[in-house]
Amino acid sequence: MRAALLLAALGLPALALAGSPDLVEEGERWWTVSADPANPVACATCHFDPAATRGWAASFPKWKPLPPPHARVMTLFQANAEAVARHYRLRDPRRVAAAITAYLAAHGVGVPLSPGISAGQPVFPERLRALVTSVKRGRSLFARRCDACHRAGEAARALAAYPRVTDGRVESLEEFLERHRGEESLAWDSQVTADLIAYLTEESR
Amino acid sequence: MMLRASVTAIALFSVVLGLAAAGEARTVITGTVKSKAGQPLPGLALLEKGEIHNNVWDRGALVDANGRFTIELAEGGQYGLHVYSSGYIYSPQAVRVETGKTLEVTVTLVPEPTRANDPVITRAGFFPWEERRAKVTFVKLEVSDPNDDLGPQVLAFNAATGRVYAMDPPRKVLHLKANFPQGVYQLGIDSSQAPIKPRDWYFVVADHQCNTTDILSFPHEPRPPRVIR
């Protein structure tokens, strides 16, 4: 009952599932076809092996080794947004990033969560340490910002419902958190949002 | 007593031998580069030391006609392995090598679907310059990019020494994710001990979208890139 109330408070139907089939299908299209007509290099051009990308969604949030000083812990949606903004040259990458996030999540259904660790890839201790620090910051932020209304374990269960389609509008968890009530605004592409989601992901395991 | 002394001596000798063997063990990244069709590809394998994309370039190697390369390292740790072959999108990969061990990797490259977006090396040159006691040769590379989104990968590789260099941009760039300027990049090499041999030098450039030039090798005369079918 409490969980249902919480989901309702978060604006979610109790049985919401991440990524409607249409959104997943749209994400697969964006995965295979570039949004930039001048540059046909798409995600799938280089990441062509479905087996290699199956564990991607489960490995987030994780440290993304972008060129300094931009390297940091990111959520899958944030990482996708950064990649499509750069490769597809999109001024607002959110819709495409949400669709690709839904596609990768559907592609990786059944893969156990392993934040920071990609199956078949080497483990980098420094990256894991950065993720642990991010989770700690997220815990502190949750206690300060969310704890009065939400329990972490229950909020964590809502993670799987995003990205979602509501009234034809696609919304990522990061965008939801940006517009959710709070003393301070959480920008969808910020480190603090990644911290909060890193903490909730840890709580959901 | 005698037996005990002999056993101790043998044990000590074994330990010394073991340490010597451990000291000799090489730290190596080796690998094979191929196309999606399995065809071996020649090119360059270049390493960043530490986290990938930090632009701290270290060692490198030529990839031979069989698609094989070997890079010997001073120490183990984390490296960013970047593999280039003319006509193909370069491949970046974070790797971790244990000291005294060999890491074997397989790299599959995909061809550039069009060369219209690729950066272009228009000129390369070597310019000795003497100033009082120092003797320096400036290596210069003129680079343009139709998308105007060059990244820090304007790279020079000396096959004789195995050293990789990120060349200095024509003007200061705020951070590595910014678009780097088009123009003349340069590198100052100490040539006081021996003159530079242009034959040893290779150049390659990639932009932020991973679009990659052909590898420019001696005699460093740029040719129009072609699409690999």
Side-chain angles (χ1 to χ4, degrees):
Chain A
M1 179 64 181
R2 189 180 161 87
L5 284 174
L6 174 85
L7 290 171
L10 287 174
L12 297 172
L15 293 174
L17 291 174
S20 71
D22 286 350
L23 189 60
V24 171
E25 197 176 303
E26 180 185 331
E28 187 169 13
R29 274 202 311 277
W30 289 126
W31 181 261
T32 49
V33 179
S34 168
D36 180 356
N39 191 347
V41 176
C43 310
T45 307
C46 297
H47 307 294
F48 52 83
D49 180 4
T53 54
R54 189 158 181 268
W56 276 19
S59 71
F60 280 87
K62 70 179 175 188
W63 175 265
K64 283 293 290 178
L66 298 175
H70 297 270
R72 65 172 177 88
V73 171
M74 295 178 106
T75 65
L76 177 60
F77 172 74
Q78 290 175 336
N80 287 336
E82 188 282 329
V84 296
R86 180 159 44 92
H87 287 284
Y88 292 176
R89 296 196 152 216
L90 295 175
R91 195 162 290 174
D92 182 355
R94 287 177 292 181
R95 169 72 188 235
V96 174
I100 290 175
T101 300
Y103 164 66
L104 288 173
H107 181 50
V109 161
V111 178
L113 281 181
S114 60
I117 299 173
S118 304
Q121 298 294 311
V123 173
F124 300 104
E126 286 177 12
R127 294 184 186 181
L128 289 179
R129 279 195 286 276
L131 180 59
V132 168
T133 305
S134 171
V135 169
K136 282 182 187 165
R137 285 195 304 261
R139 180 181 294 118
S140 166
L141 178 66
F142 188 89
R144 199 171 68 241
R145 181 189 167 94
C146 321
D147 208 23
C149 303
H150 306 299
R151 287 195 177 168
E154 290 163 353
R157 281 201 290 277
L159 292 177
Y162 290 90
R164 63 178 181 170
V165 182
T166 309
D167 299 328
R169 186 171 159 271
V170 175
E171 185 179 50
S172 65
L173 175 60
E174 291 79 353
E175 292 167 285
F176 169 78
L177 290 171
E178 184 176 76
R179 65 175 182 78
H180 194 52
R181 67 176 72 89
E183 292 167 9
E184 54 193 309
S185 175
L186 299 179
W188 66 267
D189 56 352
S190 65
Q191 175 71 78
V192 284
T193 298
D195 293 342
L196 188 57
I197 294 174
Y199 166 59
L200 293 175
T201 304
E202 195 58 33
E203 283 292 304
S204 71
R205 297 174 75 191
Chain B
M1 187 66 178
M2 187 73 172
L3 181 63
R4 186 193 263 175
S6 299
V7 168
T8 306
I10 289 169
L12 275 174
F13 186 60
S14 303
V15 167
V16 169
L17 268 183
L19 286 175
E24 284 170 9
R26 301 187 316 155
T27 305
V28 171
I29 297 178
T30 186
T32 305
V33 183
K34 58 185 177 61
S35 68
K36 275 170 80 175
Q39 174 197 358
L41 297 174
L44 296 175
L46 310 180
L47 286 177
E48 287 168 317
K49 189 172 170 59
E51 184 61 271
I52 193 167
H53 301 310
N54 67 4
N55 206 36
V56 179
W57 294 90
D58 188 48
R59 311 287 303 166
L62 294 173
V63 183
D64 68 20
N66 296 317
R68 294 290 302 170
F69 71 89
T70 298
I71 308 172
E72 193 159 340
L73 302 166
E75 57 183 340
Q78 190 174 341
Y79 291 86
L81 171 65
H82 299 247
V83 176
Y84 307 82
S85 186
S86 294
Y88 291 79
I89 300 171
Y90 89 92
S91 162
Q93 178 181 358
V95 296
R96 185 164 189 83
V97 197
E98 302 295 330
T99 299
K101 294 194 173 168
T102 295
L103 176 71
E104 173 87 34
V105 297
T106 299
V107 179
T108 304
L109 299 180
V110 293
E112 293 269 13
T114 169
R115 307 306 301 273
N117 297 294
D118 291 356
V120 178
I121 300 172
T122 47
R123 276 191 299 180
F126 299 83
F127 303 93
W129 182 68
E130 290 193 43
E131 183 192 58
R132 294 189 180 175
R133 287 176 297 176
K135 189 172 182 184
V136 173
T137 297
F138 284 103
V139 184
K140 299 197 178 202
L141 200 66
E142 187 176 61
V143 183
S144 64
D145 184 34
N147 295 337
D148 200 18
D149 67 344
L150 283 174
Q153 286 186 65
V154 177
L155 302 176
F157 170 61
N158 183 338
T161 63
R163 280 286 311 276
V164 184
Y165 305 85
M167 300 183 73
D168 296 329
R171 63 175 183 273
K172 193 172 164 57
V173 180
L174 286 179
H175 54 78
L176 295 175
K177 207 164 178 293
N179 289 339
F180 277 54
Q182 303 179 58
V184 177
Y185 284 66
Q186 72 172 20
L187 177 67
I189 296 292
D190 178 358
S191 46
S192 57
Q193 302 303 313
I196 269 191
K197 292 180 186 165
R199 188 177 293 276
D200 295 333
W201 288 80
Y202 296 78
F203 303 96
V204 70
V205 177
D207 68 16
H208 281 307
Q209 292 183 304
C210 305
N211 298 310
T212 316
T213 63
D214 283 350
I215 295 165
L216 186 64
S217 57
F218 186 79
H220 306 122
E221 291 165 357
R223 279 177 291 187
R226 62 191 177 87
V227 176
I228 292 174
R229 303 288 177 197

